[in-house]
Amino acid sequence: MNSLVLAVVGVAMILLGYFLYSKYLSKKVYRLDPEYTTPAHRFEDGVDYVPTNKFVLWGHHFTSVAGAAPIVGPAVAVIWGWAPAFLWVTLGTVFFAGMHDLGAMWASNRNKARSVGTLSGRYIGRHGRNLFLIVIFLLLLMVNAAFAVVISNLLVSTPTSVIPTWGAIVVALLIGQAIYRLKWNLPIVSIVGVIALYGLMILGDMYPIVLPETILGLSANAFWIVVLFLYAGVASLLPVWMLLQPRDYINGLQLFIGLGILYLAIAISSPTVVAPAVNQNVPEGTPGIFPLLFVTIACGAISGFHGIVASGTSAKQLDKETDARFVGYFGAVGEGLLALGTIIATTAGFQTVAQWEEVYAAFNDGGVEAFVNAGGGILNAGLGIPTSLSATILATMAVLFAATTMDTGVRLQRFVVTEIGEIMGVKLNIWVSTLVVLAVTMGLSFGAGADGSGGMVIWPLFGTTNQLLAALTLAIIAVMLIQLRRPVWPVLIPLVFVAIVSVYALIIQLGTFFSTQNWLLLVLDVIILICALWVIVEAVAAMNRARRDPPVELAEAEDDELDPSSSKL
């Protein structure tokens, strides 16, 4: 198989989804209204609620939801062959991810930009809300703790990425001032910012930063993890316009350009896909393709984490409701294109099948490093970019994706901690909530690993937890659509599929954790499974009630409190 054919077909499918299917969803299902006054305007506070240009907001949303997961998941899943991964990424982006992200943003926008956890209290029930928040908290804990490990590993293994990684923060701070304080022209600021970022990559390639084996009594990896958490804590407290938004925006542009460079290199070099379409000889110990494929590739096909971002930060910055189509659905398109590029890089970036099999000698052997090394070879072959600089570009892409997700993840976890405190009758300010988040994540990271790698301990549950959260978010959207008497099948079919594969995967993992005597993951698996099944049962009951009750009018949502007993939307 020629990789160029795979790229053309995949990109065409994903873009057709945006130009055709997202238009149908926007007009017929969600019925986005350009005249609706969004929460960003109604509750504007200059910190979290900030009306934002849709292109800037897209950059924030895209880079926040992408992270390292759309690289890690596909780079691992190709062990079953490129065809299953390709189909799940392309069809998943079009019919699952885009619909889910757009729907979560619409649902939150129509409910004062509240999080999906809060919305579950209104549309599913109070018990469902409490259990929902547990699942969300655990998912964010996995993301924040694990991504810190992924970033630190890349900073150590690819020291040429250190300067562009931290230099991007300075660029973002300057861009925030240029856009919001100085009111400079956005296109000019964007061009200068992108040039600065790529200049930093060249500088980083010339001057790699290698830390000593121990620094302040910590290993290099542990030191970077501490610095990353401290940075993420500070970033979560700053107004979104100052750092989070401009950092995500300029990184979004840079990362999209990076994707363009990768696809251009594929078009020029047209490397052959050496991996099998369907791998009949998977290494011993590799789990079955069903249902594990559908939870291994979460981000890039559908991801519950996207619903948290869409409702937790993006909905608070939506200038017009119609912008949700570009921000939400096209944000999923960007992630799908990254996942597709990863599939091509990790199956066509090798000279022979033997080389590919050497890298994929066992399940989970592939990953970010396979993407960086194989993709770097494609950039070198297609565009003549030196191997070292190629690796720097792709490693920086991976680091910036993960770092921007971690920025947003800590802020979102702070929101969740505040909500949990309110349920328990304890009022927590943003400083205390942030300290709680940092204490828990760093406690996990260093409590389960002296080098800070403990964040990876609960990572095996990420895929299933993430997909379960996506199913629960779709359940909220389905209840809303049923109450409004709008088409619900575009949401209901993906909801049923994702719920089944996620619960099935959790049950399979229970057996694995028990046989390996991994009691921590076994207990967490049981907790997540009980919470999910309980919420699913309550969601089905809520849908049945919605069918029996009279239809409601969406326009009444503006001044209505989020009361589960209310029939107004």
Side-chain angles (χ1 to χ4, degrees):
M1 167 66 72
N2 188 306
S3 60
L4 181 57
V5 175
L6 210 58
V8 170
V9 173
V11 171
M13 290 173 65
I14 292 173
L15 291 181
L16 281 174
Y18 174 72
F19 289 114
L20 298 178
Y21 191 56
S22 74
K23 187 174 293 186
Y24 163 76
L25 292 173
S26 300
K27 291 185 176 181
K28 301 296 183 180
V29 179
Y30 302 127
R31 300 181 188 176
L32 305 182
D33 181 4
E35 302 301 320
Y36 179 77
T37 303
T38 64
H41 288 282
R42 292 166 57 204
F43 309 119
E44 185 173 358
D45 61 6
V47 178
D48 294 316
Y49 291 87
V50 179
T52 304
N53 177 286
K54 70 177 183 179
F55 297 102
V56 175
L57 183 55
W58 170 82
H60 156 71
H61 182 77
F62 167 52
T63 54
S64 295
V65 300
I71 297 175
V72 175
V76 170
V78 293
I79 198 169
W80 288 299
W82 62 261
F86 173 81
L87 290 173
W88 177 226
V89 163
T90 51
L91 297 177
T93 297
V94 173
F95 296 107
F96 289 67
M99 173 274 298
H100 168 274
D101 295 12
L102 171 56
M105 198 173 296
W106 163 77
S108 177
N109 184 59
R110 286 291 176 161
N111 287 281
K112 302 181 179 179
R114 303 294 179 91
S115 71
V116 289
T118 301
L119 298 189
S120 64
R122 181 182 184 191
Y123 295 105
I124 295 178
R126 294 190 186 278
H127 292 301
R129 176 195 61 185
N130 298 344
L131 298 171
F132 208 107
L133 287 174
I134 292 174
V135 176
I136 292 174
F137 181 84
L138 289 174
L139 179 66
L140 289 171
L141 180 61
M142 295 174 198
V143 169
N144 293 331
F147 278 19
V149 178
V150 171
I151 296 169
S152 68
N153 288 341
L154 280 170
L155 292 176
V156 171
S157 65
T158 314
T160 54
S161 66
V162 174
I163 288 179
T165 294
W166 296 107
I169 297 173
V170 178
V171 174
L173 288 168
L174 294 175
I175 286 176
Q177 297 297 316
I179 293 175
Y180 288 100
R181 286 283 177 83
L182 303 177
K183 307 295 182 182
W184 287 1
N185 181 272
L186 181 60
I188 293 177
V189 172
S190 303
I191 293 171
V192 172
V194 168
I195 292 173
L197 284 182
Y198 277 96
L200 286 170
M201 288 185 202
I202 296 172
L203 187 65
D205 189 56
M206 295 169 59
Y207 301 101
I209 304 296
V210 181
L211 296 183
E213 289 188 11
T214 58
I215 179 170
L216 300 177
L218 299 171
S219 67
N221 288 82
F223 175 79
W224 281 130
I225 289 173
V226 171
V227 172
L228 284 164
F229 276 124
L230 293 177
Y231 157 73
V234 173
S236 74
L237 294 169
L238 294 175
V240 290
W241 65 266
M242 188 175 291
L243 176 60
L244 184 71
Q245 210 183 70
R247 173 172 161 80
D248 290 350
Y249 169 65
I250 199 64
N251 282 341
L253 290 180
Q254 182 270 136
L255 295 169
F256 224 67
I257 291 171
L259 274 178
I261 292 173
L262 177 60
Y263 279 106
L264 180 61
I266 291 170
I268 294 174
S269 62
S270 299
T272 300
V273 176
V274 297
V278 178
N279 193 1
Q280 303 289 350
N281 300 304
V282 294
E284 186 177 351
T286 302
I289 189 171
F290 185 85
L292 268 298
L293 169 71
F294 302 99
V295 296
T296 301
I297 301 180
C299 299
I302 183 171
S303 166
F305 179 71
H306 293 201
I308 308 176
V309 176
S311 63
T313 61
S314 299
K316 292 179 174 64
Q317 302 169 60
L318 206 59
D319 184 33
K320 296 180 180 179
E321 188 174 57
T322 47
D323 290 348
R325 177 181 172 232
F326 180 77
V327 176
Y329 197 102
F330 198 68
V333 165
E335 186 164 76
L337 292 174
L338 174 60
L340 176 62
T342 300
I343 291 170
I344 295 173
T346 53
T347 57
F350 301 89
Q351 297 298 317
T352 64
V353 178
Q355 286 184 359
W356 181 82
E357 289 177 341
E358 186 178 343
V359 172
Y360 286 88
F363 188 66
N364 277 330
D365 275 5
V368 176
E369 290 188 7
F371 166 73
V372 170
N373 294 329
I378 292 176
L379 291 185
N380 178 257
L383 300 175
I385 300 175
T387 303
S388 174
L389 182 56
S390 297
T392 299
I393 292 173
L394 294 181
T396 303
M397 278 179 60
V399 169
L400 293 182
F401 266 124
T404 50
T405 298
M406 192 176 169
D407 291 355
T408 303
V410 171
R411 183 181 288 259
L412 290 170
Q413 198 167 14
R414 185 243 294 173
F415 291 158
V416 172
V417 168
T418 302
E419 288 186 42
I420 293 174
E422 290 174 355
I423 292 172
M424 299 173 64
V426 179
K427 188 173 181 61
L428 302 175
N429 61 36
I430 61 174
W431 296 95
V432 174
S433 298
T434 302
L435 287 175
V436 170
V437 171
L438 294 179
V440 173
T441 49
M442 292 183 72
L444 172 64
S445 297
F446 289 93
D451 60 351
S453 62
M456 299 305 294
V457 170
I458 60 176
W459 182 253
L461 281 171
F462 169 76
T464 46
T465 307
N466 196 28
Q467 300 302 64
L468 274 172
L469 185 57
L472 301 181
T473 300
L474 291 176
I476 294 172
I477 299 170
V479 172
M480 289 182 66
L481 293 174
I482 292 170
Q483 288 180 339
L484 294 164
R485 300 299 187 268
R486 292 184 186 174
V488 72
W489 290 109
V491 175
L492 206 56
I493 293 174
L495 160 60
V496 172
F497 178 80
V498 174
I500 290 173
V501 297
S502 301
V503 171
Y504 187 16
L506 270 178
I507 294 172
I508 290 176
Q509 286 181 314
L510 273 178
T512 303
F513 299 148
F514 181 79
S515 63
T516 57
Q517 297 185 349
N518 194 327
W519 307 123
L520 173 62
L521 290 183
L522 181 68
V523 171
L524 288 176
D525 195 319
V526 171
I527 292 172
I528 293 168
L529 184 59
I530 291 173
C531 291
L533 291 175
W534 194 333
V535 175
I536 288 172
V537 169
E538 292 210 14
V540 172
M543 290 181 207
N544 288 330
R545 287 195 303 271
R547 285 192 178 91
R548 293 193 303 267
D549 292 343
V552 298
E553 295 182 11
L554 191 59
E556 297 179 18
E558 288 193 32
D559 300 313
D560 180 44
E561 292 299 323
L562 296 182
D563 182 357
S565 63
S566 172
S567 63
K568 297 178 181 179
L569 282 182

